[in-house]
Amino acid sequence: MRIVQKFGGTSVGSLERIRKTADIVQAELAHGNQVAVVVSAMSGETNRLTAMAREVSEQPAARELDALIATGEQVSAALLAMELQQRGVSAYSYSGGQAGFITDGSHERARIKNIEGNHLLAHMQSGEVPVVTGFQGVDERGNVTTLGRGGSDTSAVALAISVHANVCEIYTDVDGIYTTDPRIVPTACKIKRISYEEMLEFASLGAKVLQTRSVELAMRYDMPLHLRSSFEPVTGTMVVQEDETMERATISGVAYNRDEAKITIMGIPDQPGIAANVFGPVAEAGINVDVIVQNVSEQGYTDITFTVPCGDYQSTMNIMRSLCKQMDARDVKGDDSIAKVSVVGVGMRSHAGVAKEMFDVLANAGVNIQMITTSEIKITVVIEEKYIELAVRALHSAFGLDEEGS
Ligand code: ASP
Ligand code: MG
């Protein structure tokens, strides 16, 4: 087998952790596999470097910021290569540029254009372990670029695709994706296999285990991901292409997010362009709007309600208050004690009535639904925050997730 192993910040967070990581790499080599490694910076390092830059300048030049924060991964790559060499393993560290990661020129959020040359594959075939810095590359002029926070996942998937690996293993501090948060439902089970699409839904619902882009990339090239823990030697969650067994389960998991606030702008004179007017300034402020509901207009007036992350609540309220005057709307109301709960599963495509069942379960639990939104494989409702644990527990059990994973 040919494997790309990615180790996140906590897996290389100290010299002791780096030794544990070297054990994992060595074990894979001992099985006769070819291995390349992608590392993150030691945990906390990217934040530390960014904070230092902000002390020097309020708005550091993006090119220099990238040059600075890319060093975090160089430290962990070099240390891991040294540790492996010490054990007699032929391992060499490579920066993104040395590994041939060519990106576009958008600093801090660069996209990989291609991985030049296949010298890493040749190294792997000759038994060497390339240890590559995640999160970075160089643009066509040779400037160091970075891929956005969490970007090492995307580096690892891109590398796995380019060397035609059988699997890309993502080592982190959790041992997989669970049917829901085990802190709320202790009987939550680890999901053994999940589809790329479900993983994307979970990621967008706030599961921070994988950078969303890395899942999109893996899906496009059908690269299996194995999410697993570097702290415990157990099988994790496989993220793979959808198959029939997945459809047998109605839903795969229940996700929630407390970090949401709801804003309603009421009594807007209804005419073409109002939604664009409302969301234009919000988008300009870089605020991500999630659930949106617009009422049917009554006597020429309508209401629009939407949710934003709690951190953007006050600034969005300010934008809406001034818009309210400009658009001659009646009033603006806000509520930051709401939460979102979602059921996700590809099985929804072939099972009718999942939405109704979800609404019944919440009704029986006495939970009032404020907003609803759906995709083909997800149903999300907005409810009062104080009911979130109750709702998660009720849904997890009603959809049969208490007994078995999938
Ligand atoms: N070190 C970078 C970050 O903290 C990239 C990564 O770890 O994936 O965002
Ligand atoms: Mg990460």
Side-chain angles (χ1 to χ4, degrees):
M1 285 237 288
R2 189 175 299 141
I3 304 174
V4 169
Q5 298 186 315
K6 184 258 170 176
F7 293 94
T10 49
S11 306
V12 293
S14 64
L15 295 181
E16 193 206 329
R17 292 301 312 160
I18 287 177
R19 281 181 213 114
K20 288 268 172 0
T21 288
D23 291 343
I24 295 174
V25 176
Q26 264 194 310
E28 224 43 271
L29 292 171
H31 283 120
N33 294 320
Q34 296 175 12
V35 181
V37 175
V38 172
V39 288
S40 283
M42 297 170 95
S43 50
E45 184 62 9
T46 312
N47 288 342
R48 189 183 73 85
L49 292 168
T50 310
M52 219 174 8
R54 302 255 184 259
E55 267 182 51
V56 175
S57 154
E58 252 174 49
Q59 284 252 307
R63 181 184 181 280
E64 307 315 326
L65 190 62
D66 272 358
L68 178 71
I69 58 182
T71 61
E73 273 71 13
Q74 290 168 28
V75 171
S76 45
L79 288 171
L80 178 59
M82 280 177 207
E83 175 64 34
L84 286 164
Q85 282 171 15
Q86 240 232 129
R87 301 169 179 215
V89 177
S90 144
Y92 298 93
S93 67
Y94 297 92
S95 69
Q98 288 172 326
F101 280 78
I102 307 298
T103 71
D104 63 17
S106 9
H107 287 288
E108 293 176 77
R109 48 163 191 281
R111 301 190 81 90
I112 302 171
K113 289 168 79 173
N114 70 303
I115 303 183
E116 250 177 24
N118 240 347
H119 60 284
L120 293 188
L121 176 57
H123 290 312
M124 289 173 84
Q125 285 167 331
S126 70
E128 187 199 299
V129 178
V131 183
V132 181
T133 58
F135 178 54
Q136 58 196 274
V138 292
D139 69 10
E140 263 146 12
R141 297 193 184 143
N143 295 306
V144 173
T145 54
T146 64
L147 309 181
R149 298 307 303 266
S152 300
D153 297 332
T154 303
S155 306
V157 173
L159 182 61
I161 293 165
S162 98
V163 300
H164 308 288
N166 299 86
V167 60
C168 180
E169 297 188 325
I170 311 273
Y171 281 91
T172 171
D173 50 8
V174 293
D175 67 358
I177 302 289
Y178 280 72
T179 51
T180 196
D181 184 347
R183 285 169 303 185
I184 293 188
V185 183
T187 52
C189 304
K190 196 192 296 176
I191 303 176
K192 292 194 190 99
R193 289 162 71 78
I194 186 173
S195 70
Y196 297 115
E197 279 177 291
E198 288 168 315
M199 191 62 220
L200 283 173
E201 294 284 8
F202 282 122
S204 75
L205 292 169
K208 298 226 166 57
V209 250
L210 274 174
Q211 199 195 33
T212 308
R213 265 167 68 192
S214 69
V215 185
E216 288 165 354
L217 190 62
M219 175 157 92
R220 185 148 11 108
Y221 288 89
D222 196 9
M223 173 57 62
L225 306 178
H226 184 178
L227 271 177
R228 56 192 308 188
S229 163
S230 67
F231 292 76
E232 269 181 287
V234 292
T235 307
T237 298
M238 291 297 302
V239 187
V240 292
Q241 205 142 70
E242 184 179 334
D243 62 34
E244 288 138 34
T245 56
M246 293 173 179
E247 280 176 15
R248 251 177 256 144
T250 320
I251 71 159
S252 305
V254 180
Y256 69 92
N257 188 354
R258 296 178 202 268
D259 177 35
E260 298 270 331
K262 179 180 85 165
I263 295 172
T264 305
I265 172 158
M266 286 172 298
I268 317 167
D270 196 6
Q271 46 190 266
I274 54 161
N277 281 346
V278 169
F279 295 111
V282 182
E284 263 160 47
I287 296 166
N288 269 325
V289 171
D290 188 33
V291 186
I292 300 176
V293 173
Q294 178 177 340
N295 271 356
V296 232
S297 86
E298 221 173 291
Q299 282 147 13
Y301 291 89
T302 189
D303 303 338
I304 293 180
T305 304
F306 60 95
T307 65
V308 294
C310 279
D312 295 322
Y313 177 57
Q314 281 313 333
S315 50
T316 315
M317 281 298 279
N318 293 338
I319 296 175
M320 286 306 129
R321 285 193 192 103
S322 67
L323 262 180
C324 182
K325 288 202 193 97
Q326 278 172 39
M327 296 175 68
D328 213 17
R330 185 157 38 90
D331 201 4
V332 174
K333 263 194 329 200
D335 180 358
D336 62 355
S337 55
I338 57 141
K340 225 169 55 175
V341 56
S342 310
V343 297
V344 176
V346 293
M348 264 179 225
R349 292 203 183 106
S350 45
H351 291 73
V354 178
K356 181 199 177 281
E357 189 173 349
M358 179 180 192
F359 304 153
D360 280 346
V361 171
L362 294 173
N364 291 338
V367 178
N368 188 39
I369 299 173
Q370 304 181 1
M371 298 166 86
I372 302 170
T373 173
T374 66
S375 81
E376 213 193 345
I377 62 165
K378 178 194 74 180
I379 303 162
T380 297
V381 299
V382 171
I383 62 176
E384 232 183 299
E385 186 177 349
K386 66 177 186 204
Y387 291 123
I388 195 73
E389 301 202 356
L390 175 67
V392 168
R393 274 192 212 107
L395 291 167
H396 194 267
S397 126
F399 282 101
L401 296 172
D402 281 347
E403 299 99 56
E404 29 156 17
S406 58

